[in-house]
Amino acid sequence: MKLLQDKVIKEGIVLGNQVLKVDSFLNHQMDPVLMKEVGAEFARRFADAGVTKVLTIESSGIAPAIMTALELSVPMIFARKHKSLTLKDDIFVEKVYSFTKQETNEITVSKKFLSAEDRVLIVDDFLANGEAAFGLARVAEMAGASVAGIGIVIEKSFQPGARLLAEAGYRVDSLVRIASLDEGKVTFVEQA
Ligand code: 5GP
């Protein structure tokens, strides 16, 4: 997605050779016009997938996920990272190791909002090792739902997540794919 690549080049900040900071349009301040385009693009790519729910994880996945859900006219659910006061029996719980925070979070989704009839599109801001996406897929599958696909805004293709998810049989569709963050520079897969 050219618009998104341009934004990454213009505003992305490379930290070390592993992490891209995009807090001017996705991770802190959010660009609603760009998020609308992102939602439209995911909706176009997954138009034939029979999606009934979009599932993400708080907080940075929420903006692209809600825009995608709006375009597909389906509800969006975000997995919570913090426990609410809900009874344990009413929620699906999964452990997810956070790449950026280097800690394990228990993510939860209310059983009210996912069922065996659902086809779930997972949307997230970044894909690194695939922990978040696998955790969300496990939550969908706990409900008996099927995973229609995984839509990623920024895939870091030099990390194993995309390969591992594809090997596990999931359809992964990423709007931009980064081949390397070496020497403080973003190189996209298409350029590499
Ligand atoms: P994974 O679970 O695939 O290892 O990592 C994806 C999750 O970690 C995303 O939900 C995202 O919040 C965070 N993440 C991973 N890599 C980056 C990165 O380079 N930049 C930012 N801002 N977040 C990242």
Side-chain angles (χ1 to χ4, degrees):
M1 191 180 168
K2 176 83 169 66
L3 189 65
L4 191 58
Q5 275 202 3
D6 292 348
K7 196 81 168 173
V8 167
I9 291 168
K10 206 160 156 238
E11 297 182 21
I13 299 163
V14 177
L15 301 177
N17 59 0
Q18 298 277 306
V19 174
L20 180 69
K21 194 170 167 187
V22 288
D23 64 352
S24 69
F25 64 89
L26 183 57
N27 291 143
H28 190 19
Q29 175 171 264
M30 289 183 178
D31 180 337
V33 176
L34 181 65
M35 290 303 114
K36 191 160 179 282
E37 294 292 330
V38 162
E41 184 62 22
F42 280 138
R44 192 182 65 72
R45 294 188 188 197
F46 288 98
D48 60 352
V51 176
T52 64
K53 297 270 166 84
V54 175
L55 177 64
T56 190
I57 186 166
E58 66 178 350
S59 51
S60 295
I62 292 176
I66 190 71
M67 293 303 190
T68 306
L70 178 65
E71 290 286 334
L72 290 171
S73 299
V74 299
M76 184 279 278
I77 309 160
F78 64 89
R80 294 178 184 275
K81 284 181 187 160
H82 305 285
K83 290 208 182 69
S84 70
L85 296 173
T86 328
L87 291 171
K88 271 269 182 208
D89 292 351
D90 298 340
I91 52 176
F92 298 114
V93 184
E94 254 305 325
K95 285 195 165 49
V96 168
Y97 181 77
S98 165
F99 174 78
T100 41
K101 302 211 170 69
Q102 306 207 329
E103 62 185 27
T104 300
N105 288 304
E106 277 201 338
I107 64 163
T108 62
V109 172
S110 168
K111 288 184 180 172
K112 269 193 301 198
F113 302 126
L114 282 174
S115 77
E117 282 76 53
D118 280 317
R119 277 196 52 79
V120 176
L121 172 61
I122 292 166
V123 167
D124 204 7
D125 59 339
F126 273 89
L127 178 59
N129 295 323
E131 292 275 338
F134 271 115
L136 291 169
R138 285 193 300 269
V139 166
E141 286 157 2
M142 271 184 215
S146 56
V147 176
I150 298 169
I152 298 293
V153 181
I154 301 174
E155 171 189 312
K156 291 182 294 175
S157 311
F158 58 88
Q159 290 173 311
R163 177 179 56 79
L164 294 174
L165 288 164
E167 282 172 6
Y170 296 110
R171 171 181 166 192
V172 182
D173 219 318
S174 305
L175 301 187
V176 303
R177 298 167 67 218
I178 293 176
S180 136
L181 292 174
D182 289 346
E183 292 162 17
K185 192 170 133 280
V186 181
T187 308
F188 296 101
V189 168
E190 292 70 23
Q191 303 170 331

